[in-house]
Amino acid sequence: SKDLKNFMNEYFAFGAFLFRDPKTWEVVGKASGLKEMYKVIKTLDTDSLIYHSSRNHISKWLNARALFPIAELIKQVYIDEFSTPEVMRSFILNAISGFRKSSSRGLVAEFDKEQFDETVIFSRIGEGSLGGKARGLAFLDLLVKKNPELDMLSNAIVCIPRSVVICTDIFDEFMEINELDEIAFSEASDKDVLSAFIDAKLPQHCKDDLLVFLEISDRPLAVRSSSILEDSHYQPVAGVYSTYMLPNYDSSIETRLTHLCQAIKSVYASVYFKQTKAYMEATSNLIDEEKMGWYCRKSAGHATRNAFIPPFRALPARLIFTP
């Protein structure tokens, strides 16, 4: 049975993909998933890349994992169809990257700090509710996936910003471990409530995930509330809670993590500000039934020497807009 297992892993491609030097047969790279496959191919020796691609080893490995669309595409890759091996490498890398991005559309993936990278569009930390805003964003992402004609627009990309959502169960855990109920439901001033929440600590597992998110997020961030009652049909509380914009630039990752954690805790604190409590009372909602999630999204645009510019295009002079 052991021999059979080894045979199936090696020849039927059920195990990790082992890249070998065709001259020495030494293992020069190992990939257990698409993310690792991308990383290995990016730096793989040219001789090894040609050896495996010319024998359809990569497509066989992909087929074994039921990744049929990309397997069929890469199966048709022949070295003599490209001007250089590097052009072929770029084609394979683009195919893997494009497949991973398209497969993540319309899904709210569970955040995995071991697998998270730039191809994950929308992910969640925690197991509770996404909240109103984040749920709407996930719905928009699903609509984009269901309408592939949006990908055919010239000079335009239709997509949601890359986002990570912290679900409402993290809010409950935060409130419990820091024993914040007493000041939250008291008549304390907004300043005192905010100070108490800033001094509190986020769960460590949450901070570990946020650190990984920041490692590949080099654009300004918007930290927005996403509570259960937001965007509800009858008595929405949209616009009541705080939003924070973070530059996320030109400082150490530890400093950026501190800023992000402070913004999250400030959003949590805004649930218990006097204005929020008054609005809850006026709309017959119960403040102690509110559960706060939040989502953090990367801002669209591009960086210049000393500023970050949102995306916009200059309009042709012949276009005239009237009120």
Side-chain angles (χ1 to χ4, degrees):
S1 60
K2 185 176 180 181
D3 290 341
L4 178 61
K5 175 183 177 182
N6 292 336
F7 179 86
M8 293 182 70
N9 282 339
E10 182 170 356
Y11 294 102
F12 292 172
F14 286 115
F17 192 102
L18 300 179
F19 291 91
R20 296 182 181 275
D21 185 319
K23 298 177 182 178
T24 64
W25 206 236
E26 178 186 359
V27 175
V28 293
K30 179 179 179 181
S32 299
L34 271 183
K35 180 180 178 181
E36 293 176 349
M37 175 70 74
Y38 183 92
K39 289 183 176 180
V40 173
I41 291 179
K42 196 172 183 179
T43 58
L44 187 66
D45 181 80
T46 302
D47 291 340
S48 179
L49 177 64
I50 294 174
Y51 173 81
H52 288 292
S53 60
S54 63
R55 290 165 173 77
N56 288 326
H57 292 167
I58 299 175
S59 61
K60 179 192 293 186
W61 184 83
L62 293 169
N63 273 318
R65 282 147 186 79
L67 303 176
F68 303 122
I70 186 175
E72 185 63 25
L73 179 62
I74 292 181
K75 184 178 180 180
Q76 302 174 25
V77 172
Y78 299 98
I79 181 62
D80 55 0
E81 295 179 352
F82 298 91
S83 57
T84 66
E86 292 307 311
V87 176
M88 182 184 71
R89 186 196 307 271
S90 296
F91 177 85
I92 296 175
L93 291 175
N94 289 334
I96 294 175
S97 178
F99 177 81
R100 295 190 67 212
K101 288 180 179 178
S102 63
S103 62
S104 67
R105 276 188 173 180
L107 300 175
V108 184
E110 182 177 356
F111 191 97
D112 182 354
K113 59 177 176 286
E114 302 299 331
Q115 298 293 329
F116 186 77
D117 62 14
E118 67 279 356
T119 64
V120 181
I121 301 298
F122 201 2
S123 57
R124 60 176 172 81
I125 299 174
E127 301 292 337
S129 170
L130 299 178
K133 283 197 185 82
R135 187 167 57 246
L137 199 63
F139 177 66
L140 288 176
D141 190 34
L142 181 62
L143 288 182
V144 171
K145 183 178 182 179
K146 287 185 174 180
N147 293 273
E149 61 271 16
L150 294 175
D151 291 331
M152 302 177 186
L153 300 175
S154 60
N155 300 321
I157 300 174
V158 181
C159 64
I160 68 167
R162 183 166 292 108
S163 306
V164 61
V165 181
I166 285 191
C167 299
T168 55
D169 58 311
I170 304 295
F171 172 73
D172 291 336
E173 183 180 358
F174 170 76
M175 295 292 292
E176 183 177 345
I177 63 177
N178 292 287
E179 300 179 348
L180 291 169
D181 283 354
E182 182 176 351
I183 190 168
F185 295 108
S186 70
E187 296 298 322
S189 67
D190 292 352
K191 182 178 179 180
D192 290 339
V193 171
L194 180 60
S195 178
F197 274 68
I198 290 293
D199 290 340
K201 297 184 181 299
L202 287 173
Q204 186 59 45
H205 65 88
C206 180
K207 293 180 66 176
D208 292 341
D209 289 341
L210 293 175
L211 183 63
V212 174
F213 173 70
L214 288 177
E215 286 176 350
I216 66 167
S217 302
D218 56 354
R219 292 170 177 252
L221 301 174
V223 180
R224 308 207 63 193
S225 61
S226 183
S227 79
I228 290 178
L229 296 178
E230 269 182 312
D231 300 332
S232 60
H233 291 291
Y234 300 106
Q235 294 175 324
V237 296
V240 175
Y241 303 123
S242 300
T243 294
Y244 293 87
M245 302 295 294
L246 304 177
N248 191 40
Y249 175 74
D250 199 24
S251 58
S252 68
I253 192 168
E254 291 79 11
T255 300
R256 291 189 286 131
L257 178 62
T258 298
H259 292 164
L260 178 56
C261 290
Q262 288 178 342
I264 295 166
K265 291 182 286 187
S266 298
V267 170
Y268 284 165
S270 67
V271 176
Y272 303 103
F273 287 169
K274 289 187 179 296
Q275 179 184 353
T276 307
K277 292 175 180 176
Y279 184 86
M280 288 290 188
E281 185 177 351
T283 55
S284 300
N285 286 308
L286 297 177
I287 187 70
D288 55 338
E289 291 183 356
E290 176 68 301
K291 303 292 183 184
M292 176 61 74
W294 67 268
Y295 73 95
C296 181
R297 63 175 178 82
K298 296 174 69 173
S299 299
H302 64 278
T304 64
R305 184 172 57 183
N306 57 1
F308 188 86
I309 310 299
F312 68 91
R313 298 180 71 108
L315 295 173
R318 66 179 181 274
L319 293 180
I320 300 176
F321 291 88
T322 58

